[in-house]
Amino acid sequence: MISIQGLSKLYKTKHQNVQAVDDVSLNIEQGEIFGVIGYSGAGKSTFIRLINRLEEPTGGHINIQGTDITNLPINQLRKRRQKMGMIFQHFNLLWSRTVFDNIAFPLEIAGISKSERQEKVQELIDLVGLKGREKSYPSELSGGQKQRVGIARALANDPDVLLCDEATSALDPETTDDILDLLVSINEKLNLTIIMITHEMHVIQKVCHRVAVMDQGKVVEHGDVLDVFVKPQSKTAKRFVQQLNPLEHKQDSLKRFITEDESTEVIKLHFIGNDAKRALISEVVKTFDVEVNILQGSISPTQEGAYGTLYVELNGNESVIAETLKFIEASGVEVEVIRDVK
């Protein structure tokens, strides 16, 4: 649905050149929520502004539903932009207009009749949960309500792509979750493609189907959210995953729980999808003559299913432990033997 090939943006200044986006190629499917994550200066906000040509690319192509927008003349680009809604970090509302009039504004620009505008705006107000606030001004709204206005306004022209540039970073955690739930609901109801730009791994975890990790203008890793969470390949992705799973970098804390005995083995288990709900430890205890000591663990949900990490100590005969490990691996759970924690 969206094909991005060799996309680049070079800023030239008097003293230096800055490669904000460097040869990025991605395919984003119709109806998916695609996340782009990176730390400050990674190029992610420039990347999303290139998609609707709020920034002009230095090189590369962006093809949306068969149209190469990088080659569109400005009059055709204006019409194409009407089908690309955008949500901003700081809302960008018109402070002198009411909620109703803010949402109606893009419809006015598009030349939609007053009666059609009224019907469409009311439909959007109901969709984003702002019924009763039609006559309120932005100064009278909470941050979450302002962003709901921004979402409704972005949907006014029935876009096929919704671009979200740090849409929740100005909100508190509870309000963030409410806005993310709303975006998931909109994605499902409208089959709307959503591109989420964020520096928060929680956002990726909660709503995205796939993710691209950016660093210094490049995409250093991309794939299904579960794959990136469970097996991050790049240093940047590993740092983000550690934000949500502090166990990944606190193995030293295991030492105090481990039995000083040569007949023990410490293992790390990765559970994915339905395996995260399986009573595997109970099965092991019933099947094998081993003692199992659970050291620490965590489980996290994503759009594509849950994933979890569990550290356990196995105590028993060496050959029995070997059979136990084979049994666990055969069950579909990934096993990593930890030897450097003692």
Side-chain angles (χ1 to χ4, degrees):
M1 190 268 185
I2 301 176
S3 176
I4 299 166
Q5 300 296 325
L7 190 64
S8 298
K9 178 63 179 182
L10 177 67
Y11 291 104
K12 294 184 178 182
T13 67
K14 193 172 183 179
H15 302 289
Q16 64 177 338
N17 294 336
V18 178
Q19 190 74 54
V21 175
D22 189 358
D23 194 25
V24 169
S25 296
L26 291 169
N27 289 318
I28 299 170
E29 301 300 326
Q30 169 67 40
E32 77 173 325
I33 303 179
F34 190 93
V36 179
I37 192 168
Y39 292 103
S40 296
K44 56 190 186 297
S45 289
T46 301
F47 167 75
I48 203 169
R49 291 171 65 86
L50 290 171
I51 291 177
N52 60 5
R53 278 180 60 188
L54 289 177
E55 294 279 357
E56 289 293 338
T58 306
H61 296 274
I62 305 163
N63 192 295
I64 301 178
Q65 290 188 330
T67 300
D68 187 347
I69 70 161
T70 48
N71 291 326
L72 288 180
I74 191 63
N75 60 327
Q76 293 181 35
L77 178 61
R78 289 195 188 101
K79 291 182 179 180
R80 189 64 191 84
R81 276 183 182 149
Q82 291 178 357
K83 292 299 180 181
M84 291 187 281
M86 190 160 186
I87 308 169
F88 302 89
Q89 177 180 355
H90 297 296
F91 320 125
N92 286 19
L93 302 181
L94 300 169
W95 293 87
S96 61
R97 284 179 169 243
T98 64
V99 167
F100 187 98
D101 290 337
N102 262 281
I103 299 170
F105 185 62
L107 296 171
E108 293 176 29
I109 294 175
I112 305 301
S113 69
K114 185 175 181 180
S115 60
E116 288 181 285
R117 289 203 306 267
Q118 289 179 329
E119 182 179 351
K120 183 64 176 180
V121 170
Q122 195 58 58
E123 175 188 321
L124 291 168
I125 284 173
D126 292 344
L127 177 67
V128 301
L130 287 173
K131 191 172 183 178
R133 303 310 300 264
E134 292 89 341
K135 296 181 180 180
S136 299
Y137 287 89
S139 60
E140 301 171 313
L141 303 177
S142 67
Q145 289 171 330
K146 290 172 187 172
Q147 196 57 287
R148 288 173 186 267
V149 177
I151 292 170
R153 181 186 58 188
L155 297 175
N157 283 314
D158 297 318
D160 42 43
V161 180
L162 184 62
L163 308 175
C164 304
D165 189 6
E166 299 280 9
T168 60
S169 60
L171 306 175
D172 62 75
E174 184 176 352
T175 306
T176 291
D177 281 345
D178 289 342
I179 293 299
L180 293 176
D181 287 340
L182 175 60
L183 289 172
V184 170
S185 175
I186 289 169
N187 166 257
E188 292 172 349
K189 287 178 181 177
L190 306 180
N191 193 35
L192 181 65
T193 305
I194 300 177
I195 303 177
M196 299 283 298
I197 299 296
T198 184
H199 65 274
E200 299 172 288
M201 202 62 175
H202 169 70
V203 173
I204 302 296
Q205 174 196 24
K206 187 173 177 66
V207 304
C208 295
H209 303 107
R210 291 194 300 139
V211 61
V213 182
M214 288 192 71
D215 185 34
Q216 297 183 337
K218 292 181 175 291
V219 170
V220 295
E221 186 170 349
H222 66 91
D224 293 341
V225 168
L226 265 179
D227 290 341
V228 173
F229 269 52
V230 174
K231 295 182 179 179
Q233 301 299 311
S234 63
K235 289 182 179 179
T236 305
K238 289 176 181 177
R239 287 175 63 194
F240 277 117
V241 169
Q242 286 171 1
Q243 293 177 9
L244 291 177
N245 189 3
L247 301 184
E248 293 297 323
H249 59 98
K250 291 185 178 178
Q251 290 188 16
D252 286 347
S253 66
L254 295 176
K255 293 178 181 178
R256 73 187 72 175
F257 303 113
I258 295 172
T259 305
E260 294 294 337
D261 191 328
E262 292 183 359
S263 63
T264 64
E265 192 78 84
V266 178
I267 61 173
K268 175 182 176 183
L269 306 178
H270 285 298
F271 299 84
I272 304 173
N274 290 331
D275 288 329
K277 302 177 182 179
R278 183 175 175 181
L280 180 63
I281 299 302
S282 177
E283 293 177 38
V284 167
V285 172
K286 291 176 182 178
T287 307
F288 299 95
D289 184 21
V290 292
E291 294 179 0
V292 179
N293 179 25
I294 296 175
L295 303 176
Q296 59 185 13
S298 67
I299 187 168
S300 300
T302 74
Q303 277 289 88
E304 298 301 294
Y307 77 100
T309 301
L310 185 66
Y311 290 87
V312 299
E313 180 186 45
L314 301 178
N315 193 333
N317 181 275
E318 183 178 348
S319 62
V320 176
I321 289 178
E323 289 298 316
T324 303
L325 295 180
K326 289 180 181 178
F327 174 81
I328 295 173
E329 290 175 334
S331 71
V333 174
E334 183 179 332
V335 180
E336 180 182 348
V337 177
I338 307 296
R339 299 188 184 278
D340 59 351
V341 292
K342 293 186 180 181

